Amino acid sequence: LAIFGFVISLIIYTWVTGDSNPPVVTVKVGGEIRQVENQYYVPFAVTNQGGKTAEFVEVTAELKVSDQISETGMQQIDYLSSGEEQTGEFIFSYDPNRGKLNLRVASYKSP
């Protein structure tokens, strides 16, 4: 009974004192851009630094070459809990090193 009571009190303590801040979702280029045939693979990492979970996180990439939007991409992360990081890759036909690449989190849904 003592162990059971301790576990229950620990769960209640964690629930009461847990981080209740909203999601803070960030995205960054996650490594080196690689080229395979005529395509460029741009790895990225999305992190939730907030206290609550984010669902349906939408990440967009925009590649500008010569000050014009050349290509765009969109990824959707289904579920991102507090402190979690997910990775993926955007694929472009233009070399991102020759233009300006902008990654951003466009939206998320609260569960």
Side-chain angles (χ1 to χ4, degrees), residues 36-56:
V36 178
E37 296 180 7
N38 291 329
Q39 294 185 322
Y40 296 87
Y41 291 76
V42 179
F44 68 91
V46 180
T47 307
N48 180 1
Q49 299 169 342
K52 292 189 176 181
T53 298
E55 289 184 346
F56 306 114

Side-chain angles (χ1 to χ4, degrees), residues 5-6 61 66 103:
F6 176 74
S66 302
L103 300 179

Side-chain angles (χ1 to χ4, degrees), residues 9-63:
S9 63
L10 187 60
I11 290 171
I12 291 172
Y13 174 78
T14 303
W15 179 67
V16 170
T17 62
D19 190 356
S20 62
N21 291 323
V24 178
V25 185
T26 59
V27 62
K28 64 181 178 181
V29 175
E32 279 194 38
I33 298 170
R34 62 187 172 95
Q35 181 182 3
V36 178
E37 296 180 7
N38 291 329
Q39 294 185 322
Y40 296 87
Y41 291 76
V42 179
F44 68 91
V46 180
T47 307
N48 180 1
Q49 299 169 342
K52 292 189 176 181
T53 298
E55 289 184 346
F56 306 114
V57 178
E58 186 176 281
V59 180
T60 61
E62 182 179 83
L63 177 60

Side-chain angles (χ1 to χ4, degrees), residues 19-110:
D19 190 356
S20 62
N21 291 323
V24 178
V25 185
T26 59
V27 62
K28 64 181 178 181
V29 175
E32 279 194 38
I33 298 170
R34 62 187 172 95
Q35 181 182 3
V36 178
E37 296 180 7
N38 291 329
Q39 294 185 322
Y40 296 87
Y41 291 76
V42 179
F44 68 91
V46 180
T47 307
N48 180 1
Q49 299 169 342
K52 292 189 176 181
T53 298
E55 289 184 346
F56 306 114
V57 178
E58 186 176 281
V59 180
T60 61
E62 182 179 83
L63 177 60
K64 288 185 178 181
V65 178
S66 302
D67 291 330
Q68 295 181 9
I69 297 174
S70 297
E71 291 184 82
T72 60
M74 196 274 297
Q75 295 274 349
Q76 186 171 352
I77 310 294
D78 292 332
Y79 182 85
L80 203 59
S81 63
S82 175
E84 184 179 7
E85 179 179 276
Q86 294 269 338
T87 59
E89 289 186 317
F90 285 103
I91 303 171
F92 296 104
S93 57
Y94 292 99
D95 184 357
N97 293 314
R98 294 185 172 190
K100 183 179 178 188
L101 179 63
N102 182 31
L103 300 179
R104 71 180 192 94
V105 176
S107 64
Y108 71 86
K109 179 182 176 223
S110 298

